[in-house]
Amino acid sequence: GENVEQHPSTLSVQEGDSAVIKCTYSDSASNYFPWYKQELGKRPQLIIDIRSNVGEKKDQRIAVTLNKTAKHFSLHITETQPEDSAVYFCAARYGNNRLAFGKGNQVVVIP
Amino acid sequence: DAGVIQSPRHEVTEMGQEVTLRCKPISGHDYLFWYRQTMMRGLELLIYFNNNVPIDDSGMPEDRFSAKMPNASFSTLKIQPSEPRDSAVYFCASSHLVGGDTQYFGPGTRLTVL
């Protein structure tokens, strides 16, 4: 099956700075990579995703990059705000529409 | 659409009791997933269905866990008998492959087994 790893586990940033979270995956056949944001006590919610035929995708302050050769993808948050504080999960699709999730990164935005 | 609906939102039970968690997927979605989330193990896929048929239940921890999907709008996850180590948040998610791969999560059921 697929194995997804996230680095670092916790990330603290000053408000206004950028945050970058990196994930690696093991299955070269994976072709869909979503990112979910989970606030405390809430459900995971999709914030951005990327498919293997695209190298980068941007949506306002967030962007995702994909390097298929190295099998890693990253989430970039610019101009961080306190409401960006949450746990972020990366995932990779494998097999028959299954997602393998990373363990999550706690992002803390310091006002 | 109301999104994925789960009930109950919280469940506190005693060891040995039967627990039934319920999920209503988004209308028109043909995939339904059950996940368990704990601090130690993160988000684990327990089982998933395609068009009401179980496709992969290899994530179900043991025979005490069972899941059914009698129709396109309803699924249950049952634990019998429950144990303290089953305490976790259980999420249901649904997706529509033709319309996209996005899995939409329900609000979750927080289960506490005493």
Side-chain angles (χ1 to χ4, degrees):
Chain A
E2 174 69 279
N3 182 44
V4 176
E5 295 189 1
Q6 283 186 246
H7 319 279
S9 60
T10 303
L11 179 63
S12 295
V13 295
Q14 288 292 138
E15 182 177 355
D17 288 350
S18 296
V20 181
I21 304 169
K22 298 179 181 179
C23 285
T24 59
Y25 62 98
S26 61
D27 189 347
S28 57
S30 293
N31 60 4
Y32 172 67
F33 307 90
W35 284 88
Y36 285 83
K37 176 184 180 182
Q38 187 177 28
E39 298 177 359
L40 188 63
K42 301 289 182 63
R43 74 189 80 187
Q45 291 194 299
L46 179 79
I47 55 171
I48 196 167
D49 56 14
I50 192 168
R51 300 180 192 281
S52 58
N53 59 347
V54 175
E56 183 174 359
K57 183 177 179 180
K58 189 174 182 180
D59 182 4
Q60 299 182 349
R61 295 188 298 107
I62 59 173
V64 57
T65 58
L66 171 65
N67 183 325
K68 287 193 300 181
T69 302
K71 290 191 283 189
H72 68 69
F73 55 114
S74 300
L75 177 71
H76 304 253
I77 307 173
T78 59
E79 302 173 23
T80 54
Q81 300 170 5
E83 54 263 38
D84 295 330
S85 296
V87 176
Y88 292 82
F89 292 93
C90 62
R93 186 176 69 172
Y94 71 104
N96 187 9
N97 202 30
R98 288 174 287 189
L99 289 179
F101 283 86
K103 288 288 192 284
N105 294 100
Q106 176 76 56
V107 173
V108 178
V109 179
I110 304 166
Chain B
D1 200 318
V4 177
I5 299 171
Q6 290 186 247
S7 65
R9 295 293 306 277
H10 302 272
E11 177 82 29
V12 180
T13 190
E14 293 188 346
M15 182 174 61
Q17 297 298 306
E18 177 180 295
V19 175
T20 300
L21 311 181
R22 297 173 176 79
C23 176
K24 176 178 169 55
I26 293 172
S27 177
H29 281 193
D30 48 4
Y31 280 85
L32 183 139
F33 305 82
W34 281 101
Y35 291 92
R36 178 172 67 177
Q37 186 176 39
T38 61
M39 287 294 293
M40 290 298 295
R41 301 173 69 91
L43 266 169
E44 301 175 275
L45 177 65
L46 300 177
I47 184 172
Y48 77 104
F49 297 83
N50 178 215
N51 292 321
N52 313 338
V53 177
I55 303 301
D56 185 352
D57 65 355
S58 60
M60 296 285 260
E62 47 198 276
D63 292 345
R64 297 184 298 106
F65 286 69
S66 63
K68 294 182 180 179
M69 192 164 186
N71 57 62
S73 59
F74 184 66
S75 177
T76 60
L77 178 68
K78 186 175 293 187
I79 309 172
Q80 166 63 21
S82 57
E83 298 182 2
R85 59 192 168 124
D86 302 330
S87 297
V89 180
Y90 291 81
F91 287 104
C92 174
S94 70
S95 71
H96 183 28
L97 186 60
V98 174
D101 313 89
T102 303
Q103 289 188 20
Y104 295 91
F105 283 75
T109 296
R110 181 173 295 278
L111 173 65
T112 302
V113 183
L114 303 175

